[in-house]
Amino acid sequence: MELGESFHAVEILILLLLVLVAFFAVMANRLKVPYPIVLVIAGLVISFFPRMPRIPLDPDIVFVIFLPPLLYASAWSASLREFKRNGVVIGLLAFGLVAFTVWGVALFSDHFITALDWKAGFLLGAVVATTDAIAATSIAKSIGLPRRIVDILEGESLLNDATGLLALEMGLGIILRGESPTVASGAVRLLTLVVGGVVIGLLIGVVVGWLEKFIDDGPIELVVSLVVPYAAYIAGERAHASGVLAVVVCGLYLSRQSVNFFSPSVRLQVNGAWDALTFMLNGLVFVLIGLQLPYVLAGIRGKFGTGTLILYGAVFTFVLILLRMMWVFPAVKIAEFLGNKCMGHKEEPLKKTEVFVVGWTGMRGVLALAAAISVPEVLGNGRPPETRNLIVFLAFCVILVTLVLQGLTLPALIRRLGLAGSPGMDPEEKEARRIVLAAAIHQLEEGRKIEGKGAEHLYDDIIHRYRHKLAAVGGGGDGELEAVDTEAIFRLRTIMDQALQAERRTLIGLRDKGRIGDDVLRTMERELDLAYSRYQGGSVA
């Protein structure tokens, strides 16, 4: 009976959280504020309601349940071409900035936070050093940051968990077991994490990509896509490599290969289901962050004065933001020099205003809080629990400020700096549309010659519509095709399939030649899938 009551309580709790996510997400849309910010604030406010159920955040739930699918979705939507283009600056942020942050926080804690020494400060730095892929992707894309800035932030947050995990391991070893890790041992461990994670992710991606060629059923494809991130993460962790990197690499690989093994109808079903799943998981994560405040305060209350805590939280957050700014500007300069002079890249240098936004958008999220909560209650040499509780409190302060304060100021900041995205179609997407539409018209004209007069009127009608779409590209045409009322529906389907396949082949060719990014390909491919489903009489799930 007790087990049944426990399950019933869990069911009510999950239902309550999902209702909160849906309600406050609607409010966020009405207020035109990124929904993660609204959900965090809502969780904070609701946590103080009387009779509100207490929902502790278990680090294992975050790392095992939430993290793999959300990382996989972020990697799936990332552009591999842009990832390579910005690889140097992403590497300097994902690896160098983490080490610089840990070192800076350790020095600051040792000199300015009386309750922490250098060892505890090192551990604190490891907890808050990594930016959150979930927070960065959710907020940066929703406020219209320039594409290149989003790519850099996304790439950084997807990769820096490997160095963050290494720093956390070293910090726990120092403070719990009195270890003194060397640069050489740290480099070897980092190499193991990175190489192991990449190899495992690629291996799983290749195997799954091969199996996908024999599957063309929406529900089965969805189940497979849900299993893959968990399999990659668990395999990476069991091999003592980076489970995070395994998931990211697997997602990047399968995303690029999916154009070859996903049929249009399957892609529509899988993408729709994943959109709903990632929204739900993201929403739960951000509400749970806000709900943790009572636990954080309970652990720290009475040990430090309120004024001292506020001072610690404000100054520490300021120092963390300052450390990021100090690293970002020279890192971007170094990356531009290496990319242009040594690697032959011809990228336009980032403006100072763009570099400032990259520095300002170092958001921390649920991963930092889970890392802080995972710190043992009693540290090395019988250290009192308030040391651990102070680490959790400072991590929570950083999360609140970077998510809420920086997130709320970003839209006004990018408008003030003149970085708001321009309305209308992206030039790269516009050129891609022109090329694929021209290819489809050419395919239709060739088909008309082969078919002869028997289907000439069908070809003429569709070619006329394609020419109209081609003429409208400069004005941002809607990219949709309307069905033609004709008795020869089977013939029409065949003709349309030829045209759409010509568009798809040309689109993939442009991607493979590097003329368009994966983001443009996915946008246009979604339209082709919808058109295919409509003309084949299929239903869109």
Side-chain angles (χ1 to χ4, degrees), residues 185-245:
S185 63
V188 171
R189 179 60 180 142
L190 178 61
L191 189 64
T192 303
L193 288 171
V194 173
V195 174
V198 170
V199 170
I200 291 172
L202 276 178
L203 181 62
I204 293 177
V206 170
V207 172
V208 173
W210 178 77
L211 291 174
E212 288 281 10
K213 296 179 181 178
F214 305 98
I215 307 172
D216 190 30
D217 183 275
I220 297 177
E221 296 274 18
L222 179 59
V223 172
V224 171
S225 69
L226 287 173
V227 170
V228 167
Y230 291 108
Y233 183 82
I234 293 173
E237 292 298 308
R238 289 294 178 90
H240 301 289
S242 173
V244 169
L245 276 183

Side-chain angles (χ1 to χ4, degrees), residues 308-320:
T308 302
L309 289 176
I310 294 175
L311 180 63
Y312 278 170
V315 174
F316 176 69
T317 304
F318 172 78
V319 168
L320 200 64

Side-chain angles (χ1 to χ4, degrees), residues 11 15 26 95 98-99 110 157 186 196 227 328 330 348 366 434 514 535:
E11 289 174 351
L15 178 61
V26 171
F95 298 99
V98 170
D110 191 33
S157 58
V227 170
V328 163
E348 287 290 329
V366 69
R434 186 190 66 77
Y535 274 93

Side-chain angles (χ1 to χ4, degrees), residues 25 373 454 501:
I373 295 174
Q501 290 301 326

Side-chain angles (χ1 to χ4, degrees), residues 80-116:
L80 185 59
R81 185 193 67 170
E82 309 308 326
F83 201 88
K84 292 177 179 177
R85 283 183 176 178
N86 301 298
V88 179
V89 67
I90 288 174
L92 288 173
L93 294 177
F95 298 99
L97 179 56
V98 170
F100 181 69
T101 302
V102 172
W103 171 79
V105 170
L107 288 181
F108 170 79
S109 301
D110 191 33
H111 288 86
F112 296 100
I113 301 180
T114 55
L116 301 178

Side-chain angles (χ1 to χ4, degrees), residues 366-393:
V366 69
L367 293 182
L369 188 58
I373 295 174
S374 67
V375 174
E377 288 284 348
V378 180
L379 302 181
N381 299 323
R383 291 172 184 268
E386 54 260 29
T387 300
R388 184 257 189 189
N389 293 334
L390 182 58
I391 290 175
V392 176
F393 173 78

